[in-house]
């Protein structure tokens, strides 16, 4: 099943707290590694241009980590201010490296997580894996970068398992872009902050993870920093993000491990009739919602579509503990029903 999921992840759509195409509230908590070059703004511009409407709020303060956020009254005021659909929590660089220990960092994290879920019980919380900077270009320094990035990932996977949340593998996207494609993603040697390409790579990873959809082919025009990005380099970043985020087994990033994960395939029976195959993970109930408003809890339903036009939207909701993750796809008669 894992390899099937890898291919089909490119079809996924958002919807932990809402399966409708309504505005999703997204909160970013972090430091300059989150806000540099307006990464949350780039993420929101990408999402809104693609029809995935979001409203983004930031609690991002320079030179901070979970050790600072979990005792900050302003953060808890923000948590209480509205119902959040997604919350992305970025540990500090030292915390990502294991200083202090993962157990200690989990104590900071758990207080924030519990407050978020108290006020937004169906919020989906993600841990943001940061990218380490580059201290030099000698083989020794590059190997140092590789080892530190591997430590970041191990620690964040451990923290994700303790906290029962998935993670955003932005650091892995950056690692692949640098080590495989020699793309410089930081402001300079010895600087951990992303340059415009690094910030765009992070935003791509955020979008692909949260909305479970590919970024390849997305235009740059809606983006605030579009003029700073070479289109060919941006296209490379898009392809790598899709490969790392969507074509890696989802349990690597803890998707479907601790929270529900909705997914289906479609198969044409004739020109209009589709058989749907469920590949969801970690759920206790399913609900299929079709364009005419009818629903079913059948595991693998068959449905005649296109009664009112050439396109119809189908949504699968995978429920667990009263909340759900949804996978929505608009099926096109001219391209899907063959």
């Amino acid at each position: 099943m894992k390899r099937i999921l890898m291919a089909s992840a490119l079809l996924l759509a958002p919807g932990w707290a809402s399966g409708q195409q309504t505005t999703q509230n997204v909160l970013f908590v972090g430091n300059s590694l989150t806000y540099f070059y307006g990464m949350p703004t780039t993420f929101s511009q990408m999402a809104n241009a693609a029809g995935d409407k979001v409203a983004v709020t930031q609690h991002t303060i320079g030179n901070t980590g979970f050790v600072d956020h979990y005792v900050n009254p302003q953060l808890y005021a923000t948590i209480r201010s509205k119902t959040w659909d997604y919350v992305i929590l970025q540990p500090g660089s030292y915390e990502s490296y294991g200083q202090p220990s993962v157990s200690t960092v989990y104590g900071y994290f758990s207080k924030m997580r519990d407050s978020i879920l108290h006020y937004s019980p169906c919020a989906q919380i993600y841990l943001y894996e940061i990218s380490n900077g580059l201290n030099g270009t000698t083989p020794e320094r590059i190997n140092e970068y590789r080892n530190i990035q591997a430590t970041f990932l191990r620690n964040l996977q451990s923290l994700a398992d303790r906290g029962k949340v998935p993670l955003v593998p932005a650091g892995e996207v950056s690692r692949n872009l640098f080590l495989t494609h020699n793309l410089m993603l930081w402001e300079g040697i010895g600087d951990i902050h992303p340059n415009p390409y690094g910030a765009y790579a992070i935003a791509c990873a955020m979008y692909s993870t949260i909305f479970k959809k590919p970024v390849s082919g997305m235009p740059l025009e809606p983006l605030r920093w579009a003029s700073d990005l070479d289109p060919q380099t941006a296209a490379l970043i898009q392809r790598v993000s899709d490969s790392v985020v969507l074509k890696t087994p989802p349990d690597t990033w803890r998707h479907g491990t601790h929270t529900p994960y909705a997914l289906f395939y479609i198969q044409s029976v004739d020109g209009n009739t589709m058989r749907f195959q469920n590949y969801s993970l970690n759920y206790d109930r399913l609900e299929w919602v079709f364009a005419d408003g009818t629903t079913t809890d059948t595991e693998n339903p068959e449905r005649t579509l296109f009664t009112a036009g050439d396109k119809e939207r189908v949504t699968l909701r995978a429920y667990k503990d009263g909340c759900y993750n949804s996978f929505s796809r608009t099926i096109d008669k001219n391209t899907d029903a063959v």
Side-chain angles (χ1 to χ4, degrees):
M1 180 179 291
K2 287 180 182 177
R3 295 195 178 277
I4 294 173
L5 288 168
M6 286 163 56
S8 56
L10 295 174
L11 305 175
L12 289 177
W16 173 272
S18 172
Q20 306 302 316
Q21 288 183 307
T22 55
T23 299
Q24 306 278 297
N25 291 317
V26 182
L27 173 62
F28 286 90
V29 178
N31 58 32
S32 55
L33 300 183
T34 293
Y35 68 67
F36 238 61
Y37 282 100
M39 187 278 293
T41 300
T42 297
F43 159 80
S44 67
Q45 290 171 337
M46 293 172 66
N48 287 310
D52 300 307
K53 298 187 180 300
V54 299
V56 168
T57 300
Q58 299 182 53
H59 177 88
T60 50
I61 304 171
N63 198 31
T64 58
F66 287 175
V67 65
D68 306 289
H69 297 311
Y70 95 105
V71 292
N72 188 324
Q74 185 57 50
L75 172 61
Y76 295 102
T78 301
I79 289 170
R80 295 190 299 268
S81 67
K82 62 183 68 177
T83 299
W84 299 103
D85 296 291
Y86 303 99
V87 180
I88 297 87
L89 300 175
Q90 178 233 308
S93 55
Y94 285 105
E95 293 169 339
S96 298
Y97 191 63
Q99 298 174 353
S101 68
V102 172
S103 296
T104 300
V105 175
Y106 171 72
Y108 310 148
F109 162 81
S110 63
K111 183 177 179 182
M112 294 185 289
R113 177 204 58 197
D114 293 349
S115 180
I116 293 163
L117 295 178
H118 177 78
Y119 292 101
S120 300
C122 287
Q124 184 155 10
I125 301 170
Y126 289 90
L127 286 166
Y128 160 23
E129 180 213 9
I130 65 171
S131 172
N132 187 51
L134 188 67
N135 291 321
T137 57
T138 65
E140 292 78 14
R141 289 301 190 185
I142 292 174
N143 191 55
E144 175 188 62
Y145 162 79
R146 182 185 290 108
N147 291 338
I148 291 175
Q149 198 62 54
T151 299
F152 282 5
L153 178 59
R154 286 195 303 271
N155 287 339
L156 214 61
Q157 287 173 325
S158 177
L159 188 59
D161 288 333
R162 288 170 181 256
K164 300 186 184 303
V165 298
L167 59 91
V168 179
E172 298 311 293
V173 173
S174 298
R175 181 187 60 79
N176 186 298
L177 285 165
F178 174 68
L179 293 179
T180 304
H181 301 281
N182 198 33
L183 183 61
M184 185 66 180
L185 300 164
W186 307 277
E187 286 284 84
I189 299 297
D191 193 337
I192 196 172
H193 293 99
N195 63 19
Y197 290 110
Y200 182 62
I202 296 164
C204 286
M206 292 287 174
Y207 180 85
S208 297
T209 299
I210 292 173
F211 291 103
K212 303 174 187 176
K213 294 166 64 176
V215 294
S216 293
M218 276 192 174
L220 296 177
E221 287 76 11
L223 305 184
R224 177 181 176 186
W225 301 102
S227 61
D228 292 328
L229 301 173
D230 169 69
Q232 291 185 335
T233 305
L236 170 65
I237 291 171
Q238 291 174 347
R239 292 194 300 271
V240 169
S241 178
D242 288 344
S243 177
V244 171
V245 176
L246 300 176
K247 294 184 179 181
T248 302
D251 59 353
T252 305
W253 318 132
R254 303 321 191 239
H255 303 310
T257 302
H258 307 293
T259 54
Y261 186 91
L263 174 65
F264 67 79
Y265 272 134
I266 58 173
Q267 179 183 0
S268 177
V269 178
D270 58 32
N272 286 7
T273 302
M274 293 282 181
R275 179 178 295 113
F276 296 90
Q277 295 178 295
N278 168 50
Y279 286 99
S280 302
L281 296 171
N282 195 23
Y283 63 91
D284 49 39
R285 181 169 69 88
L286 296 175
E287 181 183 43
W288 298 81
V289 182
F290 299 99
D292 62 0
T294 58
T295 64
T296 181
D297 61 1
T298 304
E299 188 84 6
N300 299 299
E302 187 174 296
R303 176 81 176 177
T304 300
L305 302 180
F306 313 114
T307 57
D310 289 339
K311 296 182 180 181
E312 291 193 19
R313 186 173 178 83
V314 176
T315 297
L316 172 61
R317 298 170 179 167
Y319 284 84
K320 186 170 184 179
D321 299 329
C323 298
Y324 63 83
N325 179 248
S326 71
F327 165 29
S328 297
R329 182 177 179 185
T330 298
I331 300 171
D332 189 323
K333 181 177 183 178
N334 299 312
T335 58
D336 297 310
V338 294

